Amino acid sequence: MRWRTARRCNKKLTEAIQAWMAGENQTSKEVCDDIAFFGGDPKQMEQEETDFFIHPDNWLAFVAFNAAQTQWVLDNKGRKFALNYQNAEIAWQKLNMNVEGDDFRKVQHLERCVRESV
C-alpha cells in the first residue's frame, strides 16, 4: 500500500480552510471608513462574498473545527498556536458531535493549515 502525504490527501479540505480563512481577512467597515476619510474609494476595497463547497466526507471535521474556534491557545504575540482539545471536546459534546478517528485527523489537518498561515 502506497501512502500519500497529508497535503495531497487533503487537498479539498485544505482549499476549504483557505477559503474560510480568507473570510477573516476581509476589510472591515472601519478600514473602509478610513479610506473614505482620506479620499479613497472604499468600494475598491470591498471583496465579493464567495461560496465554497465542502465535500460531504469532510463536513463533520469542518463543522467541528468551526465549533472549536473559541478554544485556541495563543502564543505570547497573540497568534493562534494550537487548539485546546480538552475544551474543544466539551464544545463538541454540547453540540452532539462525535469527532473521532478520521474526522479528528482532519480537524488536526485544519489546525495545522491555520497555524502555518499565521
Side-chain angles (χ1 to χ4, degrees):
M1 179 176 201
R2 193 173 130 208
W3 291 93
R4 294 184 283 172
T5 62
R7 286 208 187 277
R8 188 166 169 219
C9 286
N10 296 316
K11 182 179 177 194
K12 293 291 184 190
L13 194 59
T14 302
E15 289 172 0
I17 196 64
Q18 288 169 346
W20 175 83
M21 288 184 334
E24 287 185 348
N25 297 327
Q26 290 180 352
T27 58
S28 67
K29 182 183 179 324
E30 187 177 68
V31 173
C32 290
D33 290 344
D34 289 346
I35 290 169
F37 178 79
F38 289 108
D41 184 9
K43 290 182 180 178
Q44 292 177 342
M45 294 300 295
E46 293 178 10
Q47 297 178 356
E48 291 183 24
E49 190 172 323
T50 58
D51 292 335
F52 60 94
F53 297 98
I54 308 283
H55 191 278
D57 292 343
N58 298 329
W59 182 249
L60 178 62
F62 190 77
V63 172
F65 182 75
N66 276 327
Q69 284 305 300
T70 58
Q71 307 308 321
W72 281 97
V73 176
L74 304 177
D75 66 5
N76 59 356
K77 295 183 181 179
R79 295 178 299 201
K80 295 176 180 176
F81 177 70
L83 277 177
N84 181 335
Y85 285 107
Q86 291 175 335
N87 292 347
E89 180 67 30
I90 294 168
W92 295 332
Q93 287 175 358
K94 295 284 185 186
L95 296 170
N96 294 323
M97 290 184 193
N98 188 14
V99 183
E100 294 179 341
D102 198 40
D103 290 320
F104 184 74
R105 184 185 57 79
K106 290 175 184 178
V107 169
Q108 288 181 313
H109 175 75
L110 293 172
E111 176 191 11
R112 282 191 299 276
C113 289
V114 170
R115 228 181 14 232
E116 289 171 4
S117 72
V118 176

